[in-house]
Amino acid sequence: MLYCLSIPFIIVAIAAILLKIYIKLTIKWNNCYNCLVGKTALVTGANIGIGYNTALDFAKRGARVILACRNKGRAEDALRRIIKTTGNQNVTYKLVDFTSLQSVRDFAADINKNEERIDILVNNAGIVISNEEYTKDGIQTVLHVNHISPFLLTHLLIDKLKKSAPSRIVNVSSLAAKNAGLSVNSINKINSISKNFLNIAMYNDSKLCNILFTTELAKRLGESTVTVNAVHPGGVRTNILNNTSGFVKDIFSILMKLFFVTSEEGAQTQIYLSVSNDVAHITGGLFEKCKQIDIYQTAQDADLARKVWEKSEELAKLKDSEKISYL
Ligand SMILES: NC(=O)c1ccc[n+]([C@@H]2O[C@H](COP(=O)([O-])OP(=O)(O)OC[C@H]3O[C@@H](n4cnc5c(N)ncnc54)[C@H](OP(=O)(O)O)[C@@H]3O)[C@@H](O)[C@H]2O)c1
């Protein structure tokens, strides 16, 4: 009896080990060593996880790095660690809360007033939550943090990015976008709680919005030398599940421990997109493992991209003078 039970267990264990080896062997490391002295990079959600490792890499390359974080203590801790590891003193942090439109506006005004240039903007901050909640701006919290705030921030910094051109915007999306349910017909439901069996439907939709934002922004920026691309960092072992509960947390926590890559490994594609000469002229693309991949089918609808854009302008309360129109 014990013998019979152990055979399936051994098969599953061997399959898991082989999968783990496969994942490790297929990690793609950014192999560009470009120096960033004289450049300024802004990374949102830079105190931990993938964002921290992205900012750390930029600091190693000599950039001025701005860590956009929501918590002073965590920001100071990240800043200390980056300066200690890299010796680069030209790293700073600024506080911003992506659940507040006003906070994003204050943050952008500070950057526009006090920073000479922004060469790289990595829209990385993101959350997954199980609770059904809205921010005080009346926006569904996951949509607000993951899409509306980076959408607003990018608009408010676009002139600075244009002045610093060639410059790059990198939007951190996810494979979860493949499972999004958002469509042209359901566009008016973009800001209502949608649920799926794992309770992460809103996350999927918000990550789809990241890609739709990328493709539409690339069109609007046209031939300008500001490029914008989206990235799926892979399954990465981070704190992203800390605010989830129940089934989604149980399942993904196990997968994370067993199969997900480290934050440093997960940061490679967004670093590649930010620094490599290979992608200097590519815009509107989606990348994974330091390689351009086909835009997921869910995100190929140009009409949906335009409608999501218009809805996002409304939710972000953009003034007419702040809108980005086609060149
Ligand atoms: N981990 C994965 O497997 C995976 C897969 C696909 C895509 N991604 C994407 O990768 C990005 C980074 O996630 P991660 O895995 O590195 O997660 P993480 O370790 O939880 O980091 C998320 C970052 O976002 C910040 N953040 C959260 N809410 C914020 C708010 N209201 N205002 C400002 N900043 C806020 C967090 O700050 P605090 O530390 O203060 O909370 C943290 O710095 C996200 O966009 C995520 O969707 C991750």
Side-chain angles (χ1 to χ4, degrees):
M1 174 70 177
L2 256 181
Y3 174 74
C4 289
L5 277 178
S6 63
I7 290 185
F9 176 78
I10 290 168
I11 293 172
V12 170
I14 290 174
I17 290 166
L18 289 177
L19 181 59
K20 178 86 186 173
I21 292 171
Y22 171 79
I23 291 167
K24 277 284 170 196
L25 289 177
T26 54
I27 290 168
K28 289 282 180 294
W29 288 83
N30 162 53
N31 57 10
C32 162
Y33 298 99
N34 279 350
C35 170
L36 292 180
V37 171
K39 309 259 186 210
T40 299
L42 195 168
V43 183
T44 68
N47 57 291
I48 195 127
I50 307 171
Y52 172 81
N53 281 279
T54 305
L56 178 68
D57 180 277
F58 295 162
K60 282 183 188 158
R61 293 168 192 272
R64 168 163 176 75
V65 186
I66 302 163
L67 317 176
C69 306
R70 66 169 158 172
N71 177 281
K72 191 165 190 279
R74 292 198 282 274
E76 281 174 350
D77 180 49
L79 180 69
R80 246 191 321 271
R81 285 185 288 137
I82 290 178
I83 292 178
K84 193 170 168 213
T85 311
T86 64
N88 182 346
Q89 301 288 331
N90 200 7
V91 183
T92 188
Y93 75 86
K94 289 180 192 286
L95 295 178
V96 58
D97 180 358
F98 270 20
T99 62
S100 159
L101 296 177
Q102 191 54 51
S103 176
V104 173
R105 284 194 171 275
D106 294 345
F107 173 81
D110 179 349
I111 299 282
N112 281 324
K113 182 168 169 227
N114 297 311
E115 297 294 329
E116 253 172 52
R117 51 190 307 118
I118 297 290
D119 301 275
I120 300 167
L121 167 63
V122 183
N123 285 315
N124 165 84
I127 53 164
V128 187
I129 53 171
S130 309
N131 295 343
E132 301 174 19
E133 50 180 68
Y134 286 81
T135 65
K136 63 180 186 310
D137 294 304
I139 304 170
Q140 203 282 335
T141 304
V142 173
L143 184 75
H144 195 160
V145 174
N146 293 2
H147 169 59
I148 297 298
S149 282
F151 178 87
L152 174 62
L153 180 63
T154 306
H155 275 77
L156 299 177
L157 296 182
I158 201 71
D159 288 341
K160 184 74 73 183
L161 283 152
K162 281 181 180 166
K163 275 189 203 130
S164 314
S167 52
R168 304 183 187 192
I169 302 166
V170 179
N171 293 326
V172 183
S173 177
S174 168
L175 184 68
K178 268 190 174 179
N179 301 321
L182 195 64
S183 69
V184 174
N185 296 332
S186 65
I187 197 76
N188 285 327
K189 293 192 185 143
I190 189 173
N191 192 31
S192 43
I193 305 281
S194 52
K195 286 189 151 206
N196 61 5
F197 81 107
L198 282 178
N199 211 9
I200 51 169
M202 201 66 242
Y203 180 74
N204 298 345
D205 285 353
S206 70
K207 291 288 134 183
L208 173 63
C209 288
N210 294 155
I211 304 176
L212 296 170
F213 170 45
T214 303
T215 52
E216 182 65 19
L217 180 58
K219 275 187 198 157
R220 288 175 189 241
L221 292 173
E223 297 295 307
S224 89
T225 42
V226 183
T227 63
V228 54
N229 290 292
V231 51
H232 167 49
V236 190
R237 213 157 46 239
T238 66
N239 284 350
I240 193 117
L241 296 176
N242 280 9
N243 295 313
T244 57
S245 56
F247 193 52
V248 64
K249 188 163 196 168
D250 298 342
I251 295 284
F252 281 101
S253 296
I254 295 168
L255 289 177
M256 221 178 221
K257 281 197 189 106
L258 289 177
F259 301 119
F260 283 20
V261 302
T262 65
S263 298
E264 186 189 8
E265 291 163 342
Q268 293 307 308
T269 306
Q270 55 209 59
I271 295 167
Y272 170 75
L273 278 173
S274 303
V275 303
S276 174
N277 298 336
D278 299 352
V279 288
H281 303 292
I282 298 182
T283 191
L286 175 62
F287 286 73
E288 183 185 352
K289 294 189 176 182
C290 299
K291 225 178 82 194
Q292 188 163 11
I293 58 172
D294 290 339
I295 300 269
Y296 307 141
Q297 203 160 8
T298 47
Q300 284 180 6
D301 184 340
D303 196 24
L304 179 62
R306 197 176 41 77
K307 291 209 158 91
V308 165
W309 183 283
E310 285 161 4
K311 196 77 195 165
S312 305
E313 284 179 334
E314 200 184 293
L315 290 170
K317 299 192 173 69
L318 276 174
K319 298 172 191 146
D320 282 345
S321 60
E322 294 166 340
K323 291 182 179 170
I324 301 173
S325 31
Y326 297 96
L327 278 181

